[in-house]
Amino acid sequence: MKRMNHIFERLISDDNLMLALQEVNRTHRWLPRHKPNKTVAWVELDMQARVKELRKIIEDGFMPTPIIKKRRWDRSACKWRDICEPALWPDQYVHHALIQVIEPVMMRGMDKYCCGSIRNRGIHYGMKAIEKWMETDRKGTKYCFECDIHHFYDSIKPKYVHDRMKQLIKDRRVLDLIERITHDGIQIGVYTSQWFANTVLQPLDHMIREGGFRVTHYLRYMDNFTIFSSNKRKLTKLRKAMEKWLDSRELQLKSNWQIFPTDSRMPTALGYRYGRGYTLLRKRNLLRVKRKLSRYYKKKKGK
C-alpha cells in the first residue's frame, strides 16, 4: 500500500482547523445540567484567532495536557470503566484536526463490517447485517465463533500503533504528532484512540477474511468478533491463528471465547440475540429497559 505524504500542510490549513473547532464545539456546547461550556464560548468569541493559536501550538510541537481519569459504570456492559478525559483546549481540537486529515488513509482497506467509532457504522448497521445473514444464509451461518480481546485498550502498546501508522503515512511531522498523542498509551475516551485501535486490527481483519479459513460472514465491533462459517474445524484453526497473531503484538483473546452451532444456541452481539428471522434483546438489556419503565410509571403516578 502506497504511503500518504504531504499531510501536515493540510493538517494546519485554515479550513481543517476551523472544521475541527466547529466539530468539537458542536458536541461540547453544554455541560451537565444545561450549563454552558465556558471554553466553547471563549473559542467561539474569536474563531479566527483560535485557528491561528491552534496552528502555532501544532507547529511548535504539541504536548498533551495530563489526562484526567474518571471511573464510570457502563450500563450496557455492566462493569466499571476507567474513562480518560483529555483537556478541551487545545487537546481535543488537535485530535479532531489530526483525524480529519488521516481518516481517508485509515479507511483505505478498512473491512466493510468493521463497526464502532466509524461514522454510519454503529450498532444498528452491524445488527442489520447479522439479521440478514441469519435469515438468508442458513448454511453459511451453521457455526458461530464469538470472542473479544482481553483488556484491549489497556494492552495495546504505543510502539505497535506507531509501526502501523508508519505503514500508512510517510509525513514525518504527522507521525511525530501521533507519537506525542499516544505517548501514554491508547486510552478509552480519547477521540484518536478508537481510530488507532481499529487501524491496528485492520491486518487481522484481512487475515480472517483472506486466510483460507472459509469464513462466510464476519463482523467486528471494536475488539468484539462475530464470525460465521459452515465448517467448525476451520473456525478452530482460525482461533489458533488469531491467538498467534495477537500474541505477536502482546495481545490475547479473552478466555471466554465460544464456537457453537447456531441451531442450538443464538449468536449474541451488539446487545442483541439473533435467531432465524427474529432478533431479541439480551436479557440484561431487557431488564434494564423494564426497570427504567417501572421507575417512569412510578414517577408518573406520584405526580
Side-chain angles (χ1 to χ4, degrees):
M1 184 181 289
K2 188 176 180 180
R3 295 191 296 165
M4 184 178 281
N5 201 359
H6 308 299
I7 305 173
F8 193 77
E9 292 79 8
R10 282 185 285 142
L11 170 64
I12 61 173
S13 67
D14 285 357
D15 290 344
N16 186 60
L17 296 179
M18 181 63 75
L19 181 59
L21 295 180
Q22 292 169 348
E23 280 294 305
V24 175
N25 288 353
R26 182 176 60 84
T27 54
H28 292 79
R29 199 172 303 281
W30 300 99
L31 295 170
R33 299 179 183 177
H34 303 286
K35 292 181 180 179
N37 191 314
K38 292 181 180 179
T39 303
V40 171
W42 169 73
V43 169
E44 291 185 339
L45 197 62
D46 191 345
M47 297 280 275
Q48 292 299 332
R50 299 293 85 76
V51 165
K52 293 178 182 178
E53 196 173 336
L54 195 60
R55 181 186 295 111
K56 189 174 188 313
I57 289 170
I58 296 172
E59 287 179 329
D60 291 348
F62 167 70
M63 291 301 297
T65 308
I67 286 177
I68 299 171
K69 281 192 176 183
K70 293 186 178 180
R71 198 164 178 79
R72 292 180 179 172
W73 178 253
D74 186 342
R75 291 181 179 179
S76 61
C78 293
K79 62 181 179 182
W80 289 98
R81 292 190 187 276
D82 291 323
I83 306 296
C84 299
E85 291 189 3
L88 188 56
W89 176 269
D91 297 54
Q92 295 193 38
Y93 295 97
V94 173
H95 297 166
H96 275 74
L98 172 65
I99 295 301
Q100 283 166 186
V101 292
I102 67 173
E103 180 180 342
V105 72
M106 290 193 288
M107 287 297 296
R108 195 168 60 191
M110 187 77 73
D111 190 87
K112 182 181 178 182
Y113 293 106
C114 170
C115 308
S117 307
I118 298 174
R119 199 181 297 265
N120 299 321
R121 292 197 193 180
I123 288 175
H124 289 91
Y125 174 85
M127 183 183 75
K128 287 177 181 177
I130 297 176
E131 286 177 333
K132 182 180 177 181
W133 300 336
M134 288 292 291
E135 187 173 359
T136 61
D137 189 5
R138 191 180 191 93
K139 183 179 179 181
T141 57
K142 185 177 180 180
Y143 295 100
C144 180
F145 174 29
E146 294 179 356
C147 62
D148 60 274
I149 300 174
H150 181 68
H151 289 167
F152 181 44
Y153 278 95
D154 296 334
S155 302
I156 303 176
K157 300 290 192 298
K159 65 177 180 179
Y160 296 112
V161 176
H162 303 160
D163 290 345
R164 176 61 182 156
M165 296 313 295
K166 286 174 185 176
Q167 294 174 351
L168 304 175
I169 296 171
K170 195 174 183 180
D171 194 314
R172 181 62 247 175
R173 289 177 293 179
V174 173
L175 290 172
D176 178 67
L177 178 59
I178 292 171
E179 289 177 9
R180 288 170 182 270
I181 291 172
T182 58
H183 181 266
D184 294 325
I186 312 304
Q187 299 162 317
I188 298 177
V190 179
Y191 180 64
T192 55
S193 293
Q194 55 207 26
W195 282 98
F196 294 146
N198 269 328
T199 305
V200 166
L201 291 179
Q202 195 178 106
L204 179 59
D205 294 336
H206 286 283
M207 188 198 80
I208 292 170
R209 289 276 191 195
E210 303 154 14
F213 300 105
R214 289 175 60 178
V215 169
T216 50
H217 303 291
Y218 166 60
L219 181 141
R220 175 171 64 80
Y221 190 87
M222 292 309 297
D223 65 324
N224 291 275
F225 300 79
T226 306
I227 307 169
F228 294 98
S229 177
S230 59
N231 191 311
K232 186 177 180 180
R233 189 177 299 172
K234 289 288 185 181
L235 287 180
T236 301
K237 288 184 178 180
L238 172 60
R239 176 185 63 80
K240 293 177 181 178
M242 287 176 65
E243 288 178 337
K244 184 177 179 181
W245 189 94
L246 291 169
D247 186 61
S248 68
R249 289 154 179 83
E250 300 181 59
L251 300 168
Q252 60 180 347
L253 281 185
K254 197 179 286 186
S255 59
N256 63 350
W257 58 267
Q258 298 285 335
I259 298 177
F260 55 89
T262 56
D263 285 342
S264 61
R265 175 180 163 188
M266 296 170 67
T268 302
L270 309 173
Y272 295 87
R273 294 182 295 150
Y274 304 89
R276 304 287 181 188
Y278 64 96
T279 303
L280 303 174
L281 268 174
R282 289 188 71 176
K283 187 176 180 180
R284 67 188 182 197
N285 292 340
L286 181 61
L287 285 171
R288 191 173 73 248
V289 171
K290 289 173 74 174
R291 285 167 184 157
K292 280 187 176 180
L293 284 171
S294 178
R295 286 195 295 269
Y296 169 76
Y297 288 132
K298 285 180 181 179
K299 188 177 179 180
K300 193 175 181 181
K301 284 181 181 179
K303 288 182 179 180

